[in-house]
Amino acid sequence: MGTTPREMSIMKDTYQMFFGHLDINAVGCVTGKSISQGGISGRVESTGLGVFYGIRELLKDEGLMHRYGLTTGVNNKRVIIQGFGNVGYWAAKFLTESGAKLVGVIEYNGSIYNENGIDPNDLYRFLQDKKPIFAYQKAAEVYKDDTAFYNCLLYTSPSPRDS
């Protein structure tokens, strides 16, 4: 949690120092490396995409959706994300691109809620400046954990952003 391609490349290099660069596991000993160090394209968004795929497939299950009185599909589902780091951002991005509405985000330093929806790209850009989430002007600040109790269909909890 909290590692970047830099740290992952250092781990790979350390493995190679111990076992040699010809070791069959040298390049694959860690994930998340930069492409120049043997990483793969699409790695940054892959875990968030996996979260999206899991949710999407769950929401396709007609029997399960019928049991809970819900319609199938991602479209028009209200989402609250706990942890808006890399995984949370990408999951929110893919969910909203598929028609869901991001209504809340819970972070280690505060929570926000907007009944009309939160643009994950706009929030991500805002947080890149190391501002606290509660300073985001396009959603209301909510007491830290209360956002979890707002009405929504999907509540997903990836890792926190910068705890």
Side-chain angles (χ1 to χ4, degrees):
M1 185 166 75
T3 58
T4 68
R6 178 181 173 270
E7 287 83 18
M8 301 312 287
S9 293
I10 290 170
M11 287 187 233
K12 180 201 71 123
D13 289 344
T14 302
Y15 180 95
Q16 286 179 315
M17 285 176 21
F18 284 106
F19 299 102
H21 72 281
L22 296 178
D23 184 292
I24 193 167
N25 298 310
V27 174
C29 69
V30 295
T31 62
K33 305 173 295 292
S34 62
I35 293 174
S36 66
Q37 294 295 311
I40 59 170
S41 180
R43 174 65 186 104
V44 172
E45 64 271 19
S46 64
T47 307
L49 184 59
V51 169
F52 163 72
Y53 284 155
I55 291 170
R56 184 189 68 186
E57 294 308 305
L58 177 76
L59 293 174
K60 284 182 180 179
D61 187 320
E62 290 182 20
L64 186 64
M65 294 300 104
H66 178 73
R67 176 194 284 173
Y68 292 103
L70 303 170
T71 59
T72 57
V74 173
N75 199 37
N76 295 318
K77 301 299 189 288
R78 298 159 47 79
V79 178
I80 293 175
I81 299 277
Q82 181 178 9
F84 203 72
N86 185 60
V87 177
Y89 162 68
W90 285 103
K93 178 177 172 47
F94 292 125
L95 285 163
T96 58
E97 287 175 354
S98 294
K101 183 190 291 186
L102 178 65
V103 295
V105 177
I106 303 168
E107 266 294 320
Y108 71 97
N109 62 354
S111 300
I112 58 172
Y113 185 83
N114 184 336
E115 179 73 24
N116 298 315
I118 298 166
D119 178 355
N121 295 313
D122 187 58
L123 179 59
Y124 183 79
R125 284 188 299 272
F126 174 82
L127 294 173
Q128 292 307 296
D129 292 333
K130 302 292 184 194
K131 297 175 186 170
I133 195 164
F134 57 81
Y136 186 67
Q137 296 295 309
K138 297 178 183 176
E141 178 184 7
V142 179
Y143 182 73
K144 184 172 180 168
D145 296 326
D146 285 355
T147 304
F149 300 104
Y150 279 84
N151 182 22
C152 72
L153 175 65
L154 300 172
Y155 177 85
T156 183
S157 184
S159 301
R161 182 169 55 97
D162 280 331
S163 56

